[in-house]
Amino acid sequence: MRIRSSIFTKLFSTYVLSSIAAFLIFSTVLYVLFQQDLKGDFLSTLHAQHEQVERTLQLAYEEGQNKEAIISTLGFNNDNSHKNIYLYGENGELLHLFSDSEEPLHIEQEFIEQALSGNPVNEFVNEKGHRIFLMVSPIESNTLVEFQEKVLVIALHGYDSVAKSIKGMFMLAGLITTIVATCFLFLVSKKLSAPLQTMNVVAMEYARGNFDRKVKVAGDDEIGQLGETLNHMASELASLDNMRKEFVANVSHDMRSPLTSINGFVGAMLDGTIPQQDQKRYLHLMKDETERLIKLVNDLLDIARIEAGQVSIQPQNYNISEQIRKLMAKLEPQLTKQKLEIEIQSNQDDDLYVFADKDRFDQVLGNLIENAVHFSPQKGIVTVRVLGIGREVSISIEDQGPGIPREELSHIWDRFFKVDKARSQKVGTGIGLSIVKHIIDLHGARIDVESEVGNGTTFSITLPMASKIAKE
C-alpha cells in the first residue's frame, strides 16, 4: 500500500532538514574556527612560558647559581598541573624534567633534533587517547654565559578537556535550537499548508458537482490568488452546469415536441382519423417539424465539432449582397406568415464583396436573420444594412423585438444560454449564437451587439472587403 505524502509533511520535512543542515554547517564552521582560536591561545601561553624559562635561566647563570638552585627555581615556576617542562642539552639528552604526571611524556627525538637545528616545532601529539600540544623550541642565550640547556619542551595537557566542554556546549545548544526550530517550523508548515488542504477539500466538492462551497481568501499572495481562482472557477462551473441542465431540458423539449407531433400525425393518418383531402396539409406540418429536428441536430453537431477544434474555414472572395438576397428569399414564407417586412439598405450602388468562408458565413447570417425574424412582432420590420466603409464591409441586422437586458448581453455568446428562460417561444436551444461567435473568431473578424429592452436588438459584423481584381 502506497502512503500518500501530504503537502504539510513535505513542507515540514523540507524546512526541518534544511534547518538541521544549515545548523550543522554553521556549527562545523564555528567549531573549526574555535579550534583554531583555541590553538592560538595555547600557542600564546607556550610562548610566554618559553620567555619566562629563558629569563629564569639567564638570571640564574648571571648570579652564578648552582645546578640545584636553577632546578629549584624552574620547578617553582612550573605551577600548572596541566603543563610539563623538559630541558634538553646540546646532545639531545634530557637535563631537567618538571612534571606532576606519574609517567613523563615521551618526546620524539626527531623533534629535539629539529629544534637543535633552529626550527621550532608546534604540533599536537596523541598520548594514550589524549591530545597534547607540544612546543619544542631552541633556547637562546642573551648573555656571555653559555647555557647548558639548549632545547625547551613544554607540553600542555588541557586541550582535550577544554575542547570537550565546548563540544558539549555546542551539542546542548544544537539540541535546544533544533527543538525550538522544529516547533516553530511545525507551526509555519501548518499555517502554510492549511489553506492548501482546505482548497483540496473544496476542489473535491467541485468534482462531485457541489459548487456552493467557497475558499476563504486570507491574503493577496500566491495562495490567496489560487483561492480566488478556485472561487472564480466554481462560479464559472456553476454557471456552466446550470446552462447544461437548461440545455438538456431545452433540447429534450425541442426534440420531444416535433417528435410527438410527427408521431401523432402519422398515427392519425394510419387509423384514418385525418381525411384524405387534409393529409397533404398535415404532411407539410410534419415536414416543418422534421426540419426543426434537422436544424437542432446540425447545431448540436456543429457545436461538438467546434469544441473539438475540428472546424476550419476556407476564405474566398464572394458577393455578400447576393448571399443576403438569397437568404431573404428562403425566409419569404415565414415573413409572409408573420406579416414582416425586410429592408436591405446599402451605401453602395454595386454589390459588395467580402473575403470570408461563404458556407460558414451563410450559417452566421442565417442564424442572425432567423433570430431577428423569430423575435420580431407581427407587422414589424427587420433591417439589414450592408455598408462599405473603407476597406471593410459592415453588415448589421436590426429587429424590433423585445430586446436583451443589459446584464445579460455579455452571456449571449455562452453555450446553452437563452434569454427566454420561460421558453415562451419555441426558438432555438441557446447554441446558435455560440456557433456564430466561434465562426466570427475563426475569421478574425468582429461582431458587436447593441440592445435595449423594448426597442429591439442590432448585431453588427465587420469583414475585410474583397479586392477589386477578385471581384471582376
Side-chain angles (χ1 to χ4, degrees):
M1 180 179 178
R2 183 180 178 183
I3 300 176
R4 185 173 60 184
S5 179
S6 66
I7 186 67
F8 166 75
T9 304
K10 291 179 180 179
L11 277 175
F12 181 62
S13 301
T14 302
Y15 287 156
V16 170
L17 291 176
S18 300
S19 299
I20 292 176
F23 178 78
L24 288 175
I25 294 172
F26 171 78
S27 300
T28 302
V29 173
L30 189 61
Y31 187 68
V32 170
L33 293 176
F34 170 78
Q35 282 188 317
Q36 294 296 326
D37 187 63
L38 184 61
K39 183 178 179 180
D41 289 343
F42 271 55
L43 195 57
S44 298
T45 302
L46 293 177
H47 279 303
Q49 186 68 42
H50 176 87
E51 292 176 359
Q52 184 179 8
V53 170
E54 282 187 344
R55 286 197 301 271
T56 301
L57 287 173
Q58 184 174 343
L59 289 173
Y61 276 96
E62 286 178 352
E63 294 175 359
Q65 295 181 9
N66 57 27
K67 182 177 179 181
E68 287 75 14
I70 293 174
I71 294 173
S72 176
T73 303
L74 291 175
F76 178 77
N77 289 333
N78 184 34
D79 56 356
N80 192 334
S81 60
H82 296 289
K83 178 177 61 181
N84 296 336
I85 296 177
Y86 302 81
L87 292 173
Y88 288 85
E90 60 181 352
N91 295 324
E93 72 279 10
L94 179 62
L95 300 179
H96 310 298
L97 169 61
F98 306 97
S99 172
D100 293 336
S101 303
E102 295 180 358
E103 296 183 12
L105 180 66
H106 173 69
I107 307 300
E108 296 289 342
Q109 192 64 30
E110 179 185 351
F111 296 159
I112 306 301
E113 292 175 358
Q114 189 171 343
L116 286 171
S117 63
N119 298 315
V121 176
N122 299 307
E123 108 176 33
F124 287 100
V125 296
N126 288 320
E127 182 71 18
K128 298 181 179 180
H130 298 286
R131 296 184 74 191
I132 299 174
F133 191 76
L134 285 182
M135 186 182 77
V136 183
S137 60
I139 299 176
E140 297 180 0
S141 175
N142 296 324
T143 65
L144 296 176
V145 181
E146 187 71 21
F147 297 166
Q148 184 181 2
E149 294 80 5
K150 298 298 182 180
V151 175
L152 169 66
V153 178
I154 304 176
L156 286 179
H157 298 262
Y159 182 85
D160 270 354
S161 60
V162 175
K164 286 180 180 178
S165 64
I166 295 299
K167 188 175 182 180
M169 292 172 61
F170 268 88
M171 294 179 64
L172 179 61
L175 179 61
I176 295 173
T177 303
T178 302
I179 293 173
V180 173
T182 300
C183 295
F184 175 74
L185 293 174
F186 178 86
L187 296 176
V188 171
S189 302
K190 200 72 176 175
K191 183 178 178 63
L192 290 176
S193 63
L196 296 176
Q197 291 172 341
T198 302
M199 291 179 196
N200 181 56
V201 174
V202 173
M204 291 300 295
E205 291 293 324
Y206 295 163
R208 297 187 184 97
N210 178 18
F211 305 113
D212 296 330
R213 289 196 61 178
K214 300 294 181 183
V215 177
K216 293 182 180 179
V217 180
D220 57 354
D221 56 4
E222 287 80 358
I223 294 179
Q225 292 171 8
L226 179 59
E228 291 178 352
T229 302
L230 280 175
N231 289 336
H232 178 70
M233 181 186 71
S235 300
E236 293 295 320
L237 288 174
S239 176
L240 185 62
D241 190 56
N242 289 333
M243 287 191 291
R244 179 186 60 80
K245 291 176 181 177
E246 291 177 5
F247 169 74
V248 172
N250 295 346
V251 170
S252 300
H253 181 276
D254 288 344
M255 294 186 73
R256 183 176 59 187
S257 296
L259 287 173
T260 301
S261 298
I262 293 171
N263 184 62
F265 293 152
V266 171
M269 288 181 181
L270 289 176
D271 60 19
T273 303
I274 298 176
Q276 185 71 29
Q277 63 274 17
D278 293 334
Q279 286 187 4
K280 187 174 182 179
R281 180 168 68 89
Y282 282 99
L283 286 173
H284 280 294
L285 292 174
M286 292 167 62
K287 182 177 181 297
D288 291 340
E289 296 299 316
T290 303
E291 288 176 350
R292 278 183 62 194
L293 282 175
I294 291 173
K295 185 178 185 308
L296 173 61
V297 172
N298 287 337
D299 284 347
L300 291 174
L301 290 175
D302 283 340
I303 197 66
R305 290 178 60 202
I306 287 172
E307 290 182 347
Q310 297 175 351
V311 174
S312 60
I313 60 170
Q314 298 179 353
Q316 59 178 313
N317 298 317
Y318 74 93
N319 189 332
I320 189 74
S321 301
E322 179 65 22
Q323 185 179 39
I324 292 174
R325 287 194 292 268
K326 289 181 179 180
L327 285 171
M328 299 297 102
K330 290 180 183 178
L331 292 172
E332 188 64 32
Q334 192 169 350
L335 294 172
T336 303
K337 182 179 179 181
Q338 292 185 227
K339 300 178 182 179
L340 292 175
E341 292 184 16
I342 283 191
E343 291 185 357
I344 300 178
Q345 301 177 358
S346 177
N347 63 349
Q348 305 287 325
D349 294 333
D350 298 328
D351 288 352
L352 288 169
Y353 287 71
V354 296
F355 182 69
D357 188 310
K358 184 176 180 179
D359 293 333
R360 289 298 173 188
F361 242 82
D362 194 73
Q363 189 177 4
V364 168
L365 295 173
N367 263 303
L368 294 177
I369 295 174
E370 283 181 19
N371 281 350
V373 170
H374 282 305
F375 286 105
S376 292
Q378 286 194 353
K379 299 182 180 180
I381 299 175
V382 174
T383 304
V384 179
R385 296 184 180 87
V386 186
L387 308 175
I389 305 173
R391 298 303 306 159
E392 293 181 328
V393 175
S394 174
I395 306 146
S396 63
I397 297 99
E398 179 183 344
D399 63 50
Q400 296 177 338
I404 303 171
R406 183 177 300 274
E407 63 272 10
E408 294 185 349
L409 277 177
S410 60
H411 298 291
I412 63 173
W413 311 114
D414 296 342
R415 294 170 296 170
F416 321 135
F417 181 81
K418 284 177 65 68
V419 177
D420 181 22
K421 300 287 193 303
R423 297 191 56 77
S424 57
Q425 300 188 48
K426 298 180 180 179
V427 183
T429 57
I431 56 177
L433 288 180
S434 180
I435 294 173
V436 167
K437 187 66 168 63
H438 276 91
I439 294 175
I440 294 293
D441 290 342
L442 287 173
H443 280 79
R446 187 176 73 252
I447 182 168
D448 301 306
V449 57
E450 295 179 3
S451 186
E452 186 178 346
V453 176
N455 290 321
T457 302
T458 301
F459 288 91
S460 301
I461 302 171
T462 303
L463 287 171
M465 185 182 291
S467 63
K468 292 182 180 179
I469 297 176
K471 290 192 291 183
E472 293 172 358

